Amino acid sequence: MDSKIYSYKNKDVEVTWDKKRCIHAKECVHGLPNVFDISKNPWIDPDNTTNLKDLKKVIEACPTGALHYNFTNNENSESPDNTNTLLIATDGPLYARGDIHIVDMEDHLIMQDTRVAFCRCGASSNKPFCDNSHIEENFKAGTAFNPERLELEPSSETGGKLTAKLVPNGPVVVEGNYTLNGGDKKTKTKKKMSFCRCGASSNKPFCDGSHRDIDFKA
């Protein structure tokens, strides 16, 4: 995974933007157009608002984690949502929110974040993150899923650590309490599940071993 982080700050706040993780969801542009204006250079100007509460809210709406903030007084720093959620996007990524810990097969921490967009099409040049390659690839995948396996291990808890383990040339294995959202289905579970990253599974969003058949590399 790559990063290219830019910083924009004033005496109150620093806003950071990771260009490599931005897929132009435009939550920021629509939320605070005075601060986030793509017609200007620099396109982010925190001096254009005095309402840090609104700035915080808009940045936390960024679904990929490309945007973050740091307040000078160290107050109101971002904390994970109380509920870990996975949202399946039509023909797009798997959005994760919560206390996300991305680890390798030896459980070494690669990254900790509150918002991530995992590639589902297999074509991203910045795996495991989405880079909008699904658009060029004309990736097609709905949001429906079979909740039966998840319902075998229901969870009354919703938060806590959510581990996303990257299997080399394979899926991302999610473990912890989470709610999976897809279409009109919402299932709360603690089931350890493997989510497809290669784009070829016939059981999306879950892995079915197709990564081996297509010699997927990640």
Side-chain angles (χ1 to χ4, degrees):
M1 65 182 73
D2 296 321
S3 63
K4 191 171 184 179
I5 299 175
Y6 296 84
S7 173
Y8 311 84
K9 57 186 176 182
N10 59 23
K11 63 181 180 64
D12 297 313
V13 64
E14 177 187 28
V15 178
T16 59
W17 173 56
D18 189 343
K19 183 177 181 179
K20 293 291 186 179
R21 289 174 62 183
C22 181
I23 60 173
H24 310 296
K26 296 185 178 180
E27 294 289 344
C28 57
V29 174
H30 296 312
L32 275 178
N34 288 338
V35 175
F36 303 94
D37 187 344
I38 57 176
S39 69
K40 294 181 179 180
N41 187 17
W43 74 283
I44 298 176
D45 188 352
D47 283 332
N48 283 343
T49 183
T50 58
N51 192 328
L52 297 183
K53 184 177 180 181
D54 282 352
L55 181 64
K56 177 177 180 285
K57 180 179 178 180
V58 167
I59 290 175
E60 290 181 2
C62 172
T64 67
L67 288 172
H68 281 284
Y69 58 82
N70 295 291
F71 290 108
T72 303
N73 61 11
N74 293 320
E75 295 179 2
N76 297 314
S77 59
E78 184 174 0
S79 56
D81 291 352
N82 293 328
T83 298
N84 295 320
T85 58
L86 299 177
L87 173 66
I88 308 164
T90 303
D91 305 331
L94 179 70
Y95 291 113
R97 293 184 65 98
D99 188 10
I100 306 160
H101 294 242
I102 301 175
V103 302
D104 62 18
M105 290 300 290
E106 287 71 43
D107 291 322
H108 297 140
L109 182 66
I110 299 172
M111 176 181 285
Q112 184 175 350
D113 211 326
T114 56
R115 294 167 278 118
V116 171
F118 288 109
C119 171
R120 288 207 298 148
C121 72
S124 173
S125 60
N126 193 31
K127 298 180 184 71
F129 303 131
C130 172
D131 70 353
N132 267 347
S133 290
H134 55 272
I135 298 173
E136 184 176 343
E137 295 292 319
N138 197 28
F139 176 64
K140 298 298 180 185
T143 61
F145 67 93
N146 186 343
E148 290 184 1
R149 289 177 63 191
L150 300 178
E151 291 169 349
L152 292 174
E153 295 185 36
S155 175
S156 59
E157 303 294 328
T158 58
K161 180 178 177 181
L162 185 68
T163 300
K165 180 173 289 188
L166 303 179
V167 177
N169 307 323
V172 55
V173 180
V174 173
E175 186 172 10
N177 300 307
Y178 61 96
T179 299
L180 180 61
N181 296 299
D184 59 353
K185 289 189 175 69
K186 181 183 292 187
T187 303
K188 189 186 300 181
T189 187
K190 57 183 177 182
K191 175 71 175 179
K192 181 178 179 179
M193 289 296 293
S194 297
F195 287 83
C196 174
R197 290 202 293 148
C198 73
S201 173
S202 59
N203 190 33
K204 296 181 185 69
F206 308 123
C207 172
D208 69 354
S210 292
H211 54 275
R212 292 187 289 268
D213 298 331
I214 67 171
D215 196 28
F216 176 63
K217 300 297 181 186

